[in-house]
Amino acid sequence: MEEKKREEIKRGLEEWQKTRCQWKDRDCRFETVSGMEVKDLYTPLDLEGFDYMRDLGFPGQYPYTRGVYCNMYRGKLWTMRQFAGYGTARESNKRYKYLLEKGQTGLSVAFDMPTIMGYDSDHPRSRGEVGRCGVAVDSLQDMEILFDGIPLDKISTSFTINGPAAIIWCMYIAVGEKQGVRPEQLTGTIQNDILKEYIAQKSWIFPPEPSLRIITDIFKYAKEHVPKWNTISISGYHIREAGATAVQELAFTLADGFAYVEAGIKAGLDVDEFAPRLSFFFNAHIDFFEEIAKYRAARRIWARRMREKYGAKDPRSWMLRFHTQTAGCSLTAQQPENNIVRTAYEALAAVLGGTQSLHTNSMDEVLALPTEKAVQIALRTQQILAYETGVANVIDPLAGSYYVEYLTNKMEEEAEKYLEEIERRGGVLACIEQNYFQQEIADAAYRYQKALDTKQRILVGVNEFVNPDEKIEIEILEIDPRVEQEQIERLQKLRRERDNIRVRETLDALRRACEGTDNLIPYIMDCVKAYATEGEIIQTMKEVFGEYKEKPTF
Amino acid sequence: MSSRRIRVLIAKPGLDGHDRGARVIARALRDAGMEVIYTGLHQTPEQIVEAAIQEDVDVVGLSILSGAHMTLIPMVTQLLRERGAGDITVIAGGIIPEKDVKALKEGGWAKEIFTPGTPLDDIVEWIRNHVKV
């Protein structure tokens, strides 16, 4: 900016401030939901040294601040992908068909806790949990039912699974083969992000080292056989839900991403052989501008570091593509219909931030799994955004806003500080060991709850604008308690009827592979195709790899 | 005046890994002057009951967000009774629909259930009012 113009703005600002300070504010401090203080006004003076070509550039071009694709939503709208799954495979299959029929464009599978943790439905630790918060999948047989009548070459599917990701992925590839769909035709994502499990979501199985081996084995196998698959979805969502601030979500997630890049390189892969298949998953919380700035900063940091630090040459390795889910933790059990409004604002932020796919939460998810009616409203929220509001017509429409650009820079700066601190502490694994992330997140969660309790932060319907004697009168989805028994019976029937000698052979081969250095995926694939159960496969691997344990702190 | 501090075991039964609430509440109770023991994640009802007895607690607080509350809460309470520790007050929190809250309280499986949005002070007060040491 010209010196003369700058001086003029500065004088004008000082002049304005003289008048402005005579007006009383309704609060003495204004901050984002993450506790970051914000000023009342942003001007060109807040963007000292701003360089359009260096900091923003054009959509589809480095450093991708304005979006990863050159025509963004003018070409293709984001994928509307509602996370769903409950009860048995048959019930979930019905829900998927319902969602596809309503215009959803991708599937996203939610598993129950036993599946997530690698226990079969008849394991004592699975008591009461089968089919509760997602669908129960014990073997290839359940996966066949789950996708019955859904052509895998026509849809993309996302699996929220981490510890057992390789097994679920092999099951999906096997179902594809049975439908006559070749692995190279399959599109979709496995979450497969174990680092954030240790940090926030806490659904781990093996210790970090073997977990990272499995992940790099998946990278290698995908490169050869399933090239269109997103091999990992590096997730900030759960970090945020656990209580992190926006900056923490951004920094810890990117740190995890770089840790996977380093693991891939260490495993002998060229960075451009696997980095284009890495994808991300962020939260869309309620603080509108902070979220938009977070996505824009994420793209810029990723692009710069991938090019400059890791020497990636393929532009696809520089592009941070991401899925977004609106914030479950922003929803309230009180006056649950208000959650529709919260979710709509959050979805708008995700779209203005350039997301590639989106899940909008249903209003009742703070009470139970969503009913069909609630899911439909959540999906319609996205459709209204896409087809009625006009926000998808212009690429990165908030660019150039002094506030949004300032906040984008600020998010980047603060995240870089965390990235340096993580490096100083010896990297992501060392930080997990030191309980560093966990403690940072717990502190932020506690501060947030305190702010609610003292009404420093207002939550509509909870600590202000409360309906006295509120009765929650919305329909709740109930899981039939017979689901557990049915699932166990089907599993035990499978165990009786399958070729158990073949199961034994494939599991033994897998055990030996775990002890050696071979890529594990072909061995897991053999187990899956022999109808070995998820629990049996995991148990075999645990015998070699051991189990992760966390030191409980609060 | 109570002669000693209230002892609370905060526990995460089952496979659910959502520990934000459990850890926030553990801290709040500690800040309110109670002695708090946190089990950590993925505990079986047997492990929780064992810890409650070993630690000689007055209260067991169970946090469940995975939908398994109708199985796990009664199991913990039942096991406590079987082990002669039925005097320990069992409370719970998490994603628990109103209908289940009613059933758990009326069935005598939990003395109180705190659902999302409950202020921390309400929980502290409830414990102080209902647990005499």
Side-chain angles (χ1 to χ4, degrees):
Chain A
M1 197 184 340
E2 270 177 65
E3 193 57 23
K4 218 180 106 199
K5 284 273 176 210
R6 199 175 159 276
E7 281 308 311
E8 206 179 305
I9 297 170
K10 208 170 159 197
R11 273 198 310 278
L13 181 66
E14 280 163 7
E15 214 37 53
W16 172 77
Q17 276 167 339
K18 275 185 212 152
T19 322
R20 195 249 170 268
C21 70
Q22 294 164 14
W23 295 77
K24 198 176 164 333
D25 286 353
R26 61 188 157 80
D27 216 333
C28 58
R29 181 184 154 98
F30 290 81
E31 54 179 45
T32 66
V33 74
S34 302
M36 188 189 282
E37 188 166 12
V38 289
K39 297 198 296 183
D40 52 357
L41 187 80
Y42 290 84
T43 70
L45 300 177
D46 295 295
L47 298 178
E48 282 298 336
F50 177 77
D51 180 333
Y52 180 86
M53 287 307 290
R54 183 198 62 198
D55 299 335
L56 303 188
F58 286 90
Q61 291 177 17
Y62 186 87
Y64 302 100
T65 314
R66 307 205 64 181
V68 288
Y69 298 123
C70 84
N71 61 349
M72 286 303 289
Y73 306 135
R74 282 210 172 194
K76 182 176 161 286
L77 288 163
W78 64 91
T79 303
M80 300 177 193
R81 194 191 293 282
Q82 297 295 93
F83 186 43
Y86 62 95
T88 60
R90 196 164 303 286
E91 279 175 284
S92 293
N93 174 266
K94 232 176 83 199
R95 174 69 70 99
Y96 297 157
K97 286 177 173 161
Y98 170 84
L99 286 165
L100 291 170
E101 183 194 309
K102 294 277 170 190
Q104 177 165 301
T105 47
L107 291 178
S108 176
V109 180
F111 294 102
D112 68 357
M113 285 313 304
T115 307
I116 287 170
M117 294 299 290
Y119 295 107
D120 282 338
S121 297
D122 59 351
H123 191 282
R125 297 202 76 136
S126 304
R127 286 172 302 193
E129 313 246 24
V130 177
R132 284 278 155 188
C133 65
V135 60
V137 171
D138 288 312
S139 74
L140 177 57
Q141 187 186 57
D142 293 324
M143 203 64 131
E144 289 162 2
I145 297 168
L146 195 58
F147 289 96
D148 181 44
I150 300 173
L152 302 196
D153 54 343
K154 300 279 188 312
I155 55 143
S156 74
T157 308
S158 173
F159 293 98
T160 297
I161 192 85
N162 295 278
I167 302 168
I168 295 295
W169 189 44
C170 286
M171 287 181 183
Y172 191 71
I173 294 169
V175 171
E177 282 174 6
K178 292 199 174 202
Q179 285 189 3
V181 179
R182 295 186 309 281
E184 62 266 31
Q185 292 173 278
L186 294 175
T187 59
T189 309
I190 36 175
Q191 195 164 75
N192 197 25
D193 171 13
I194 202 69
L195 293 174
K196 69 91 175 55
E197 295 297 335
Y198 303 129
I199 293 173
Q201 171 87 349
K202 315 285 177 91
S203 298
W204 52 66
I205 299 178
F206 312 117
E209 209 178 303
S211 293
L212 285 172
R213 172 186 169 190
I214 300 165
I215 291 168
T216 50
D217 283 352
I218 290 173
F219 290 171
K220 289 180 189 167
Y221 190 87
K223 177 174 76 83
E224 300 283 322
H225 307 282
V226 207
K228 288 197 279 183
W229 197 266
N230 295 314
T231 50
I232 195 163
S233 170
I234 305 154
S235 306
Y237 185 80
H238 319 81
I239 292 174
R240 192 68 180 279
E241 289 290 302
T245 65
V247 168
Q248 288 170 345
E249 178 195 356
L250 174 63
F252 299 170
T253 309
L254 291 177
D256 287 347
F258 297 128
Y260 291 120
V261 168
E262 286 167 20
I265 293 170
K266 205 175 140 204
L269 287 161
D270 182 90
V271 64
D272 287 322
E273 284 182 325
F274 66 95
R277 296 320 310 167
L278 306 181
S279 64
F280 285 81
F281 172 22
F282 288 112
N283 199 296
H285 212 292
I286 196 75
D287 197 297
F288 188 68
F289 293 108
E290 185 172 55
E291 295 303 279
I292 294 165
K294 180 184 74 185
Y295 308 125
R296 298 174 86 243
R299 281 193 292 267
R300 193 154 74 198
I301 300 171
W302 182 253
R304 282 193 180 146
R305 286 201 170 219
M306 287 305 284
R307 191 168 85 167
E308 285 159 25
K309 186 168 177 196
Y310 297 102
K313 300 211 168 37
D314 186 338
R316 291 175 309 148
S317 302
W318 307 335
M319 287 162 48
L320 181 147
R321 296 170 298 122
F322 69 103
H323 171 69
T324 306
Q325 179 169 339
T326 57
C329 64
S330 72
L331 305 186
T332 65
Q334 295 73 16
Q335 303 174 36
E337 294 86 348
N338 296 346
N339 294 331
I340 299 172
V341 182
R342 293 188 178 98
T343 297
Y345 290 132
E346 292 167 355
L348 177 59
V351 167
L352 292 175
T355 195
Q356 274 58 63
S357 59
L358 180 61
H359 166 102
T360 33
N361 288 325
S362 300
M363 62 169 158
D364 51 358
E365 283 183 73
V366 71
L367 303 163
L369 291 189
T371 59
E372 281 194 359
K373 171 91 181 163
V375 170
Q376 177 169 322
I377 294 170
L379 178 60
R380 294 288 183 253
T381 303
Q382 293 199 40
Q383 290 161 339
I384 290 167
L385 203 50
Y387 298 102
E388 295 184 20
T389 64
V391 296
N393 294 342
V394 175
I395 303 167
D396 190 29
L398 293 181
S401 145
Y402 304 121
Y403 179 38
V404 169
E405 295 302 352
Y406 165 81
L407 209 49
T408 304
N409 291 344
K410 181 84 181 158
M411 297 294 288
E412 178 174 6
E413 199 182 299
E414 295 295 317
E416 286 285 355
K417 278 186 206 157
Y418 263 123
L419 290 173
E420 276 162 36
E421 175 64 14
I422 293 162
E423 251 161 68
R424 199 187 63 73
R425 287 172 169 267
V428 169
L429 289 183
C431 287
I432 290 168
E433 186 114 330
Q434 295 158 20
N435 223 6
Y436 173 65
F437 300 118
Q438 299 92 314
Q439 207 56 47
E440 286 285 296
I441 296 168
D443 289 348
Y446 195 55
R447 274 197 304 274
Y448 180 80
Q449 188 59 43
K450 281 286 181 193
L452 287 182
D453 285 2
T454 55
K455 283 203 190 183
Q456 195 190 323
R457 180 169 298 289
I458 298 300
L459 198 52
V460 173
V462 174
N463 63 2
E464 197 67 276
F465 315 110
V466 174
N467 286 348
D469 309 317
E470 182 188 1
K471 277 264 164 286
I472 296 167
E473 279 163 350
I474 62 171
E475 191 197 339
I476 299 272
L477 180 87
E478 288 185 40
I479 307 293
D480 190 333
R482 283 172 305 189
V483 160
E484 188 159 322
Q485 203 43 48
E486 274 171 36
Q487 182 69 20
I488 290 173
E489 279 164 19
R490 212 147 41 82
L491 170 64
Q492 292 177 341
K493 183 164 179 279
L494 173 86
R495 285 220 190 89
R496 284 194 303 273
E497 292 174 358
R498 66 186 180 180
D499 177 353
N500 278 303
I501 295 168
R502 177 78 192 130
V503 169
R504 204 63 265 157
E505 284 167 2
T506 57
L507 289 172
D508 285 343
L510 173 62
R511 179 183 292 105
R512 286 192 298 275
C514 289
E515 287 160 352
T517 56
D518 279 5
N519 190 318
L520 297 176
I521 308 306
Y523 296 94
I524 295 172
M525 187 68 83
D526 287 345
C527 297
V528 161
K529 286 181 176 171
Y531 291 89
T533 65
E534 194 212 49
E536 291 162 345
I537 297 171
I538 291 287
Q539 183 53 36
T540 302
M541 295 170 81
K542 270 184 191 169
E543 284 161 18
V544 180
F545 294 149
E547 279 181 77
Y548 182 73
K549 288 270 179 288
E550 181 190 60
K551 195 169 130 269
T553 59
F554 60 89
Chain B
M1 278 300 287
S2 57
S3 51
R4 63 173 180 87
R5 298 202 288 168
I6 298 173
R7 288 174 66 82
V8 185
L9 181 78
I10 297 293
K12 283 291 299 177
L15 302 174
D16 168 29
H18 295 89
D19 60 356
R20 176 179 180 165
R23 292 178 11 148
V24 164
I25 282 157
R27 258 195 217 201
L29 299 182
R30 184 184 61 194
D31 287 357
M34 298 179 198
E35 282 184 58
V36 182
I37 302 120
Y38 172 49
T39 61
L41 292 162
H42 311 144
Q43 302 293 301
T44 61
E46 291 81 0
Q47 286 171 318
I48 292 166
V49 167
E50 186 60 34
I53 292 168
Q54 289 297 321
E55 297 284 353
D56 192 21
V57 297
D58 307 297
V59 182
V60 171
L62 301 169
S63 165
I64 307 176
L65 291 89
S66 68
H69 47 269
M70 293 307 281
T71 306
L72 294 171
I73 296 172
M75 278 177 81
V76 170
T77 305
Q78 184 58 35
L79 278 168
L80 281 171
R81 286 175 191 155
E82 284 169 16
R83 299 275 305 266
D87 56 324
I88 296 177
T89 303
V90 176
I91 56 177
I95 305 286
I96 304 178
E98 218 160 60
K99 190 172 139 249
D100 295 347
V101 169
K102 207 163 158 253
L104 289 164
K105 282 167 74 173
E106 285 176 2
W109 303 117
K111 282 269 162 49
E112 190 55 87
I113 296 194
F114 301 98
T115 49
T118 310
L120 297 172
D121 283 347
D122 288 10
I123 301 172
V124 170
E125 278 314 299
W126 190 95
I127 294 176
R128 283 195 182 131
N129 291 335
H130 290 81
V131 180
K132 297 294 168 213
V133 294

mmCIF file of all heavy atoms in Angstrom, chain B residues 6 29 32 34 114 119-132:
data_model
loop_
_atom_site.group_PDB
_atom_site.id
_atom_site.type_symbol
_atom_site.label_atom_id
_atom_site.label_comp_id
_atom_site.label_asym_id
_atom_site.label_seq_id
_atom_site.Cartn_x
_atom_site.Cartn_y
_atom_site.Cartn_z
ATOM 1 N N ILE B 6 -15.653 -35.891 50.453
ATOM 2 C CA ILE B 6 -16.416 -36.876 49.673
ATOM 3 C C ILE B 6 -15.488 -37.488 48.628
ATOM 4 O O ILE B 6 -14.739 -36.779 47.969
ATOM 5 C CB ILE B 6 -17.618 -36.192 48.972
ATOM 6 C CG1 ILE B 6 -18.581 -35.612 50.021
ATOM 7 C CG2 ILE B 6 -18.334 -37.157 48.034
ATOM 8 C CD1 ILE B 6 -19.713 -34.779 49.442
ATOM 9 N N LEU B 29 -15.396 -31.475 40.223
ATOM 10 C CA LEU B 29 -15.596 -32.048 41.564
ATOM 11 C C LEU B 29 -14.338 -31.876 42.405
ATOM 12 O O LEU B 29 -14.408 -31.582 43.595
ATOM 13 C CB LEU B 29 -15.987 -33.530 41.462
ATOM 14 C CG LEU B 29 -17.287 -33.841 40.702
ATOM 15 C CD1 LEU B 29 -17.577 -35.344 40.732
ATOM 16 C CD2 LEU B 29 -18.477 -33.067 41.260
ATOM 17 N N ALA B 32 -14.136 -28.483 43.593
ATOM 18 C CA ALA B 32 -15.125 -28.242 44.646
ATOM 19 C C ALA B 32 -14.706 -28.909 45.962
ATOM 20 O O ALA B 32 -15.473 -28.947 46.922
ATOM 21 C CB ALA B 32 -16.489 -28.759 44.208
ATOM 22 N N MET B 34 -13.706 -32.195 46.429
ATOM 23 C CA MET B 34 -13.901 -33.643 46.604
ATOM 24 C C MET B 34 -12.633 -34.380 46.174
ATOM 25 O O MET B 34 -11.805 -33.847 45.444
ATOM 26 C CB MET B 34 -15.084 -34.113 45.758
ATOM 27 C CG MET B 34 -16.380 -33.449 46.176
ATOM 28 S SD MET B 34 -17.775 -33.965 45.159
ATOM 29 C CE MET B 34 -18.942 -32.651 45.528
ATOM 30 N N PHE B 114 -27.505 -36.871 34.917
ATOM 31 C CA PHE B 114 -27.274 -35.503 34.444
ATOM 32 C C PHE B 114 -27.069 -35.524 32.944
ATOM 33 O O PHE B 114 -26.133 -36.144 32.450
ATOM 34 C CB PHE B 114 -26.051 -34.913 35.152
ATOM 35 C CG PHE B 114 -26.202 -34.869 36.644
ATOM 36 C CD1 PHE B 114 -25.641 -35.855 37.445
ATOM 37 C CD2 PHE B 114 -26.945 -33.854 37.249
ATOM 38 C CE1 PHE B 114 -25.791 -35.826 38.829
ATOM 39 C CE2 PHE B 114 -27.098 -33.818 38.628
ATOM 40 C CZ PHE B 114 -26.524 -34.805 39.422
ATOM 41 N N PRO B 119 -25.351 -27.478 34.450
ATOM 42 C CA PRO B 119 -24.210 -26.717 34.968
ATOM 43 C C PRO B 119 -23.410 -27.556 35.962
ATOM 44 O O PRO B 119 -23.983 -28.358 36.712
ATOM 45 C CB PRO B 119 -24.868 -25.521 35.679
ATOM 46 C CG PRO B 119 -26.265 -25.460 35.149
ATOM 47 C CD PRO B 119 -26.636 -26.868 34.794
ATOM 48 N N LEU B 120 -22.104 -27.360 35.967
ATOM 49 C CA LEU B 120 -21.233 -28.134 36.862
ATOM 50 C C LEU B 120 -21.651 -27.961 38.319
ATOM 51 O O LEU B 120 -21.636 -28.913 39.098
ATOM 52 C CB LEU B 120 -19.777 -27.701 36.668
ATOM 53 C CG LEU B 120 -19.201 -27.972 35.273
ATOM 54 C CD1 LEU B 120 -17.824 -27.339 35.136
ATOM 55 C CD2 LEU B 120 -19.118 -29.464 34.994
ATOM 56 N N ASP B 121 -22.020 -26.738 38.683
ATOM 57 C CA ASP B 121 -22.396 -26.479 40.074
ATOM 58 C C ASP B 121 -23.603 -27.300 40.519
ATOM 59 O O ASP B 121 -23.712 -27.667 41.687
ATOM 60 C CB ASP B 121 -22.695 -24.986 40.278
ATOM 61 C CG ASP B 121 -21.403 -24.177 40.353
ATOM 62 O OD1 ASP B 121 -20.327 -24.802 40.495
ATOM 63 O OD2 ASP B 121 -21.468 -22.941 40.259
ATOM 64 N N ASP B 122 -24.509 -27.569 39.601
ATOM 65 C CA ASP B 122 -25.684 -28.376 39.950
ATOM 66 C C ASP B 122 -25.263 -29.777 40.376
ATOM 67 O O ASP B 122 -25.847 -30.370 41.291
ATOM 68 C CB ASP B 122 -26.644 -28.501 38.751
ATOM 69 C CG ASP B 122 -27.362 -27.197 38.461
ATOM 70 O OD1 ASP B 122 -26.979 -26.164 39.059
ATOM 71 O OD2 ASP B 122 -28.292 -27.205 37.632
ATOM 72 N N ILE B 123 -24.264 -30.297 39.695
ATOM 73 C CA ILE B 123 -23.793 -31.650 40.003
ATOM 74 C C ILE B 123 -23.094 -31.646 41.366
ATOM 75 O O ILE B 123 -23.341 -32.510 42.210
ATOM 76 C CB ILE B 123 -22.852 -32.167 38.892
ATOM 77 C CG1 ILE B 123 -23.602 -32.164 37.544
ATOM 78 C CG2 ILE B 123 -22.331 -33.564 39.216
ATOM 79 C CD1 ILE B 123 -22.741 -32.462 36.334
ATOM 80 N N VAL B 124 -22.259 -30.633 41.576
ATOM 81 C CA VAL B 124 -21.566 -30.494 42.859
ATOM 82 C C VAL B 124 -22.592 -30.409 43.993
ATOM 83 O O VAL B 124 -22.499 -31.126 44.999
ATOM 84 C CB VAL B 124 -20.672 -29.232 42.849
ATOM 85 C CG1 VAL B 124 -20.126 -28.936 44.245
ATOM 86 C CG2 VAL B 124 -19.530 -29.399 41.848
ATOM 87 N N GLU B 125 -23.585 -29.533 43.812
ATOM 88 C CA GLU B 125 -24.609 -29.348 44.836
ATOM 89 C C GLU B 125 -25.373 -30.634 45.109
ATOM 90 O O GLU B 125 -25.637 -31.002 46.257
ATOM 91 C CB GLU B 125 -25.610 -28.257 44.391
ATOM 92 C CG GLU B 125 -25.121 -26.854 44.646
ATOM 93 C CD GLU B 125 -24.538 -26.679 46.047
ATOM 94 O OE1 GLU B 125 -25.296 -26.877 47.025
ATOM 95 O OE2 GLU B 125 -23.335 -26.397 46.160
ATOM 96 N N TRP B 126 -25.742 -31.307 44.020
ATOM 97 C CA TRP B 126 -26.508 -32.550 44.182
ATOM 98 C C TRP B 126 -25.731 -33.540 45.034
ATOM 99 O O TRP B 126 -26.268 -34.143 45.965
ATOM 100 C CB TRP B 126 -26.838 -33.158 42.805
ATOM 101 C CG TRP B 126 -27.816 -34.296 42.934
ATOM 102 C CD1 TRP B 126 -29.163 -34.245 42.806
ATOM 103 C CD2 TRP B 126 -27.493 -35.664 43.281
ATOM 104 N NE1 TRP B 126 -29.722 -35.480 43.036
ATOM 105 C CE2 TRP B 126 -28.720 -36.367 43.326
ATOM 106 C CE3 TRP B 126 -26.322 -36.343 43.546
ATOM 107 C CZ2 TRP B 126 -28.787 -37.723 43.624
ATOM 108 C CZ3 TRP B 126 -26.384 -37.709 43.862
ATOM 109 C CH2 TRP B 126 -27.611 -38.383 43.895
ATOM 110 N N ILE B 127 -24.459 -33.673 44.728
ATOM 111 C CA ILE B 127 -23.647 -34.638 45.478
ATOM 112 C C ILE B 127 -23.559 -34.211 46.947
ATOM 113 O O ILE B 127 -23.745 -35.025 47.859
ATOM 114 C CB ILE B 127 -22.245 -34.784 44.855
ATOM 115 C CG1 ILE B 127 -22.360 -35.420 43.454
ATOM 116 C CG2 ILE B 127 -21.331 -35.640 45.745
ATOM 117 C CD1 ILE B 127 -21.052 -35.540 42.703
ATOM 118 N N ARG B 128 -23.316 -32.929 47.171
ATOM 119 C CA ARG B 128 -23.217 -32.454 48.560
ATOM 120 C C ARG B 128 -24.500 -32.695 49.340
ATOM 121 O O ARG B 128 -24.477 -33.034 50.518
ATOM 122 C CB ARG B 128 -22.882 -30.966 48.576
ATOM 123 C CG ARG B 128 -21.410 -30.724 48.275
ATOM 124 C CD ARG B 128 -21.039 -29.303 48.664
ATOM 125 N NE ARG B 128 -19.657 -29.052 48.336
ATOM 126 C CZ ARG B 128 -19.236 -27.984 47.676
ATOM 127 N NH1 ARG B 128 -20.100 -27.059 47.273
ATOM 128 N NH2 ARG B 128 -17.963 -27.819 47.417
ATOM 129 N N ASN B 129 -25.628 -32.517 48.656
ATOM 130 C CA ASN B 129 -26.910 -32.678 49.343
ATOM 131 C C ASN B 129 -27.304 -34.129 49.569
ATOM 132 O O ASN B 129 -28.083 -34.427 50.454
ATOM 133 C CB ASN B 129 -28.029 -31.986 48.554
ATOM 134 C CG ASN B 129 -27.876 -30.484 48.595
ATOM 135 O OD1 ASN B 129 -27.268 -29.949 49.518
ATOM 136 N ND2 ASN B 129 -28.404 -29.808 47.586
ATOM 137 N N HIS B 130 -26.824 -35.005 48.713
ATOM 138 C CA HIS B 130 -27.290 -36.389 48.796
ATOM 139 C C HIS B 130 -26.287 -37.360 49.385
ATOM 140 O O HIS B 130 -26.623 -38.497 49.681
ATOM 141 C CB HIS B 130 -27.718 -36.884 47.418
ATOM 142 C CG HIS B 130 -28.972 -36.238 46.946
ATOM 143 N ND1 HIS B 130 -28.987 -34.988 46.381
ATOM 144 C CD2 HIS B 130 -30.262 -36.644 46.992
ATOM 145 C CE1 HIS B 130 -30.226 -34.659 46.084
ATOM 146 N NE2 HIS B 130 -31.027 -35.641 46.452
ATOM 147 N N VAL B 131 -25.057 -36.934 49.495
ATOM 148 C CA VAL B 131 -24.049 -37.855 50.024
ATOM 149 C C VAL B 131 -23.508 -37.287 51.320
ATOM 150 O O VAL B 131 -22.894 -36.225 51.329
ATOM 151 C CB VAL B 131 -22.906 -38.046 49.005
ATOM 152 C CG1 VAL B 131 -21.861 -39.006 49.549
ATOM 153 C CG2 VAL B 131 -23.475 -38.547 47.688
ATOM 154 N N LYS B 132 -23.795 -37.980 52.388
ATOM 155 C CA LYS B 132 -23.341 -37.504 53.697
ATOM 156 C C LYS B 132 -22.143 -38.331 54.125
ATOM 157 O O LYS B 132 -22.189 -39.557 54.099
ATOM 158 C CB LYS B 132 -24.461 -37.617 54.750
ATOM 159 C CG LYS B 132 -25.665 -36.744 54.421
ATOM 160 C CD LYS B 132 -25.339 -35.250 54.484
ATOM 161 C CE LYS B 132 -26.447 -34.399 53.888
ATOM 162 N NZ LYS B 132 -25.944 -33.185 53.231
#
